[in-house]
Amino acid sequence: MFVQEEKIFAGKVLRLHICAPDGAEWLEEATEDTSVEQLKERCLQQCTHGNLEDPKSVTHHKLIHAASERVLSDAKTMLEENIHDHDVLLLVKKRAPSPLPKMADVSAEEKKKQDQKAPDRDAIVRATASLPACNMDRAVVQTSMRDFQTELRKILLSLIEVAQKLLALSPGAVELFAKANAMLDEDEDERVDETALRQLTEMGFPESRALKALRLSHMSVPQAMEWLIEHADDPAIDTPLPGQASPGVAGAEAPAEAPAEAAAGSSEDDEEARDELTEIFKKIRRKRGFRADARAVISLMEMGFDEKEVMDALRVNNNQQSAACEWLLGDRKPSPEELDKGIDPDSPLFQAILDNPVVQLGLTNPKTLLAFEDMLENPLNSTQWMNDPETGPVMLQISRIFQTMNRT
């Protein structure tokens, strides 16, 4: 008897339960070496009664192992897919891929995106061409939304004048401000954190360099150490900071004049006492002069600007380096001269501030005047005075009145 060669070497015959999409079920025999694709063709022939209507029908279907919910690979055999006798396989038609959008659909989608975009300037002009013109003064709108820090300087300048007049009426005003003048003789820039200085010198840094680094880093030891390491090979590392010597010279002149002024205050002539008090105010303002951030000065001077320009820029922009750089590169408005102009004394804002009882009481306190003078030239010290129990309530009321008037 003749036996085909593939029958002799055929593997184990498996009886598999096939379930079709239309609910039909039947048994299909396959050997272990039968590929999944071959089994799928036979199953499709069973569904179509022996004929495949579409040659691509095989690729449009898949066999799934029901127990494990695995999709069987067409290139693998029953043995490789670990199919056992009496396993159940599902013949399922593959989901057709989404068709590519037509050109008309793409155009419609792009049109929809264009419709959702914000209009440009020309579109706004066309859409509003028929609307009546509204004569609105843009300068008034911008002024109404003033920045508190910008306006605070003008407010402080005007309040200082009022406080000077009020305090001049006090019998002990000359003595009080003579003492305040003496207290300001010691320049704050010369005060160094001895502990921080000792830490840096113990690390091996020279004292002069450590002092310079601490002043540049506002007495922060980690930042000072970082600066010293970065500038170790800088030939200008031992150069004094810009303007460092000038405060000490100004401070040295004051003690000799203060006793003479205090003695003049004891004069019986009230007019002379008021003149003496005015001189003390001037000296206090000179000692509370603007102190630029040394690190910002060096950075801006390295860009090619001279020291005077840099000092003006930092003074106008409250020691903010980035804003000062923009000022130097721009139209340089406002000018340093404009900083000495106070607020209009007849303005509703200034009148509201003067009518406040807390502000009225604070203007009679010499410490409030000193706080105003300090904040005027050193805006970064505002936080210190805001937290002070004597001057804090006054500054809080000024801020609240400004915000209220700004909103209305």
Side-chain angles (χ1 to χ4, degrees):
M1 182 178 68
F2 176 75
V3 181
Q4 294 181 356
E5 183 178 357
E6 59 269 18
K7 294 286 185 180
I8 297 175
F9 297 101
K12 178 182 177 181
V13 177
L14 306 175
R15 295 176 178 82
L16 306 173
H17 292 271
I18 308 297
C19 297
D22 58 0
E25 297 183 13
W26 70 92
L27 284 174
E28 193 73 43
E29 292 185 352
T31 59
E32 291 180 333
D33 55 0
T34 302
S35 68
V36 174
E37 185 175 10
Q38 291 173 344
L39 178 61
K40 190 163 55 174
E41 288 179 0
R42 287 159 49 185
C43 292
L44 289 171
Q45 289 175 354
Q46 176 74 18
C47 292
T48 57
H49 305 289
N51 294 312
L52 288 176
E53 296 178 357
D54 185 1
K56 295 182 180 179
S57 182
V58 176
T59 60
H60 292 166
H61 288 75
K62 57 185 176 182
L63 285 173
I64 300 177
H65 189 251
S68 62
E69 301 180 357
R70 287 185 296 109
V71 177
L72 304 183
S73 174
D74 290 347
K76 292 184 178 181
T77 64
M78 297 295 107
L79 181 62
E80 292 172 339
E81 286 288 3
N82 198 24
I83 303 301
H84 303 290
D85 196 21
H86 300 297
D87 279 356
V88 178
L89 303 180
L90 306 178
L91 180 65
V92 180
K93 189 173 183 178
K94 293 180 180 179
R95 183 177 298 174
S98 301
L100 295 174
K102 300 178 181 179
M103 290 303 298
D105 296 335
V106 174
S107 300
E109 185 68 22
E110 289 295 327
K111 186 175 183 302
K112 183 179 179 182
K113 290 181 179 179
Q114 291 292 333
D115 292 340
Q116 293 176 347
K117 286 180 63 176
D120 56 14
R121 183 183 180 85
D122 295 336
I124 294 173
V125 172
R126 290 194 300 270
T128 58
S130 59
L131 296 177
C134 181
N135 296 324
M136 180 176 292
D137 189 352
R138 292 184 178 273
V140 174
V141 176
Q142 293 175 358
T143 304
S144 65
M145 296 304 292
R146 296 163 296 188
D147 176 61
F148 178 62
Q149 291 300 327
T150 303
E151 291 297 311
L152 179 60
R153 181 177 184 84
K154 297 180 180 179
I155 296 172
L156 291 178
L157 281 167
S158 298
L159 287 177
I160 285 172
E161 294 181 6
V162 175
Q164 287 178 353
K165 294 177 181 178
L166 290 174
L167 291 168
L169 302 176
S170 173
V174 174
E175 182 180 357
L176 285 173
F177 282 95
K179 292 180 179 178
N181 186 39
M183 289 172 59
L184 295 175
D185 284 340
E186 183 181 359
D187 192 354
E188 292 182 0
D189 283 343
E190 298 300 326
R191 299 173 190 170
V192 178
D193 187 336
E194 296 296 335
T195 303
L197 179 61
R198 185 170 60 254
Q199 290 181 17
L200 292 176
T201 54
E202 287 177 353
M203 295 178 189
F205 296 109
E207 184 175 348
S208 59
R209 295 184 181 183
L211 283 170
K212 181 177 180 179
L214 285 172
R215 292 193 178 106
L216 286 172
S217 59
H218 304 289
M219 299 303 155
S220 171
V221 174
Q223 294 181 16
M225 184 169 60
E226 181 181 349
W227 185 90
L228 287 167
I229 294 173
E230 289 179 357
H231 296 79
D233 299 328
D234 189 348
I237 190 171
D238 295 318
T239 303
L241 295 175
Q244 183 176 336
S246 57
V249 174
E253 298 174 356
E257 298 181 5
E261 293 172 354
S266 61
S267 174
E268 297 179 356
D269 189 353
D270 294 338
E271 186 65 30
E272 185 179 351
R274 283 195 293 270
D275 292 341
E276 194 68 26
L277 185 60
T278 302
E279 289 300 317
I280 294 177
F281 287 149
K282 291 180 180 179
K283 294 186 186 305
I284 290 174
R285 176 168 292 189
R286 281 199 296 269
K287 290 173 187 176
R288 283 297 190 185
F290 174 70
R291 293 189 295 274
D293 186 305
R295 180 170 290 187
V297 172
I298 292 174
S299 299
L300 292 172
M301 289 180 64
E302 288 175 351
M303 297 180 187
F305 302 107
D306 62 46
E307 185 174 348
K308 183 181 182 306
E309 290 178 325
V310 171
M311 297 294 284
D312 288 344
L314 290 172
R315 182 167 178 258
V316 170
N317 294 279
N318 298 336
N319 258 336
Q320 297 180 10
Q321 181 178 333
S322 57
C325 184
E326 293 179 7
W327 185 87
L328 288 166
L329 297 172
D331 57 3
R332 303 193 177 186
K333 295 290 182 69
S335 64
E337 292 75 18
E338 294 176 20
L339 295 180
D340 296 327
K341 295 180 180 179
I343 193 172
D344 182 5
D346 297 326
S347 65
L349 173 59
F350 192 62
Q351 292 299 320
I353 293 174
L354 290 182
D355 291 341
N356 186 275
V358 177
V359 176
Q360 292 176 359
L361 184 62
L363 292 176
T364 62
N365 184 352
K367 189 174 183 179
T368 303
L369 179 58
L370 293 178
F372 288 170
E373 292 282 3
D374 189 26
M375 287 187 290
L376 189 66
E377 301 299 340
N378 301 283
L380 296 178
N381 292 345
S382 299
T383 304
Q384 168 191 342
W385 296 112
M386 287 288 289
N387 296 328
D388 188 274
E390 295 183 58
T391 59
V394 179
M395 296 304 303
L396 181 61
Q397 291 301 317
I398 294 174
S399 175
R400 286 178 176 175
I401 294 171
F402 174 84
Q403 299 298 338
T404 303
M405 297 292 290
N406 198 32
R407 285 194 296 267
T408 57

